[in-house]
């Protein structure tokens, strides 16, 4: 569950009425700008990300970072696979002392330092301005578009081309609430009605996506765009995690030929493959969400090529 800072103490987010899980809106939504006089000007090396390899929202940000070749432009601190009572734990084995940020133990310490009066969700991803110490953004969609547009450069991929902007925005509406949020609304539902409603939306959306991808390589055609980097992380986790852990077992993704082809195709792209760490992903969900899996048992998982590919890839 998401943790919140309340008077400097971490508390669980309150249960929503009717058993519905409701994702809290991002409270930090500022942008890096090309204007040198802007509050957050586009300076390579100035900004820092806090990401988790398990989180699908972070995965989208990492995909942009890889595809746009931003490894040397925006530094990263990674979360450990398993969360603690204190929330997200920072992976000390992957910490880069050259990043210029303090070596914290827990993510909530980052929030306390950057925004001492903050009382919202303690979540990833976070984009920090190392110069001012302020939080620029906690909204993954904003980060994906902002980092790509500001730092990709003239030779980088255009992930939000003008000619496809309207189509990309319409597809984002199609997948965001019913699918990307829907898997969590099903998994964290505390009433049958809330669960049933979420599951119905998930599979209705998968049916639409299956039909669309039957005639397209990517969601908008032959060109990889921002919307593919939002959908792929959710689909990648579907059979290995969500089917079992979130009880979304009406169908498996492997039953959808076009969606299965799409995931396999995406997963083999050179800049995408290093972002996949299925053992880490599965450990996080099954060992961190103890209210759903109190004994911490990790299922064997689907014996399919997507799981095998991810396990062989490992952490990057």
């Amino acid at each position: 569950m998401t943790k919140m800072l309340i008077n400097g103490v971490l508390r669980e987010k309150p249960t929503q009425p009717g058993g519905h899980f409701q994702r809290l809106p991002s409270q930090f939504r500022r942008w890096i700008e090309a204007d040198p006089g802007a509050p957050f000007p586009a300076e390579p090396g100035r900004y820092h990300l806090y990401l988790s390899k398990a989180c699908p929202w972070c995965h989208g940000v990492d995909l942009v970072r890889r595809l746009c070749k931003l490894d040397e432009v925006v530094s990263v601190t990674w979360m450990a696979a398993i969360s603690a009572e204190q929330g997200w734990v920072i992976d000390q084995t992957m910490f880069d002392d050259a990043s210029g940020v303090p070596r914290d133990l827990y993510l909530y310490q980052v929030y306390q330092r950057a925004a001492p009066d903050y009382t919202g969700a303690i979540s990833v991803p976070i984009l920090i301005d190392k110069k001012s110490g302020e939080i620029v953004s906690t909204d993954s969609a904003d980060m994906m578009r902002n980092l790509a547009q500001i730092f990709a450069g003239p030779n980088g991929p255009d992930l939000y081309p003008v000619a496809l902007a309207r189509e990309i925005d319409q597809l984002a509406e199609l997948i965001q609430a019913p699918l990307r949020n829907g898997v969590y609304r099903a998994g964290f539902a505390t009433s049958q009605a809330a669960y049933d409603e979420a599951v119905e939306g998930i599979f209705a959306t998968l049916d639409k996506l299956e039909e669309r991808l039957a005639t397209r390589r990517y969601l908008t055609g032959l060109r990889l765009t921002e919307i593919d980097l939002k959908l792929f992380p959710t689909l990648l986790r579907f059979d290995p995690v969500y089917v079992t852990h979130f009880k979304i077992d009406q169908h498996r993704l492997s039953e959808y030929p076009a969606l299965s082809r799409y995931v396999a195709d995406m997963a083999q792209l050179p800049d995408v493959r290093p972002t996949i760490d299925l053992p880490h992903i599965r450990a996080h969900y099954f060992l961190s969400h103890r209210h759903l899996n109190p004994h911490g048992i990790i299922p064997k998982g689907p014996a399919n090529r997507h799981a095998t590919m991810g396990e062989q890839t490992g952490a990057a």
Side-chain angles (χ1 to χ4, degrees), residues 106-177:
Y106 302 105
L107 185 64
Y108 79 85
Q109 295 172 301
V110 177
Y111 279 85
Q112 285 184 322
R113 182 173 56 254
D117 297 329
Y118 177 70
T119 57
I122 304 301
S123 60
V124 283
I126 318 175
L127 180 64
I128 295 279
D129 175 11
K130 290 189 282 189
K131 188 171 183 178
S132 69
E134 295 183 59
I135 297 174
V136 179
S137 180
T138 54
D139 188 274
S140 63
D142 288 356
M143 287 182 217
M144 291 174 70
R145 188 168 299 174
N146 191 198
L147 293 175
Q149 292 181 341
I150 288 293
F151 289 126
N155 298 321
D158 184 358
L159 298 174
Y160 189 68
V162 173
L164 297 174
R166 183 176 179 182
E167 185 177 4
I168 290 171
D169 291 344
Q170 290 172 338
L171 286 164
E173 289 185 12
L174 171 68
I175 69 173
Q176 180 64 23

Side-chain angles (χ1 to χ4, degrees), residues 271-312:
D271 289 317
V272 173
R273 192 181 307 121
T275 71
I276 300 169
D277 188 346
L278 274 177
H280 181 108
I281 291 168
R282 284 166 53 80
H284 169 74
Y285 281 94
F286 290 111
L287 298 180
S288 296
H289 299 162
R290 288 303 183 99
H291 61 298
L292 299 182
N293 186 29
H295 298 293
I297 295 171
I298 302 178
K300 289 293 185 182
N304 63 36
R305 58 187 176 181
H306 307 318
T308 301
M309 175 277 301
E311 288 164 1
Q312 289 176 347

